[in-house]
Amino acid sequence: MVLVNFGRIFMEEILPKIGFKDLLNYSAMVGSALVAFSLIIDLAEVSETWWANSLQLVVLAVGLFWVKKHVRDYHYDGLISFQRLLSLGVFINFFAGIVLAFYIYLSLSTFQSDLIVEVLEEARARLQEKTMSKVELATAMKEYEQFYT
């Protein structure tokens, strides 16, 4: 019911007012900001710290705030309902997440391919600590390899 309502709001109220192209442009801006921040964090080699992950959420929140304020001021003449705002946020997050997922896939497959090997070795060490049999360890590692590669 809720998804149907979001879809109805999106198709009937947001798209005619903003346009799909503008929605994708806003999503691309937020997604690009997330990618740029992730690239900086990766180059600084602090991507596994709690504060770097927290700052990425702050970048997302600031990007969403900017998009929602811009849409409210320029497309809705300064007044927008909560339902429209929530629906807009869901779709902006969805498309920005696709941009970020593409960057993460590209990053892991090309620039950080050694990270996958390290994760698999760490998983093997953790599984060996659990005193598993060789058959169970091989099965578990096969599942890990299917998931990470």
Side-chain angles (χ1 to χ4, degrees), residues 116-133 136-138 140-141 144-145 148:
I116 295 173
V117 174
E118 290 176 20
V119 167
L120 287 173
E121 288 173 1
E122 184 179 320
R124 178 179 294 279
R126 262 191 271 129
L127 288 173
Q128 286 174 342
E129 289 174 2
K130 292 183 178 181
T131 62
M132 299 176 82
S133 70
E136 291 174 331
L137 181 64
M141 285 308 298
Y144 273 115
E145 287 174 4
Y148 285 114

Side-chain angles (χ1 to χ4, degrees), residues 12 65 113 135 145:
E12 294 175 4
F65 176 77
S113 58
V135 174
E145 287 174 4

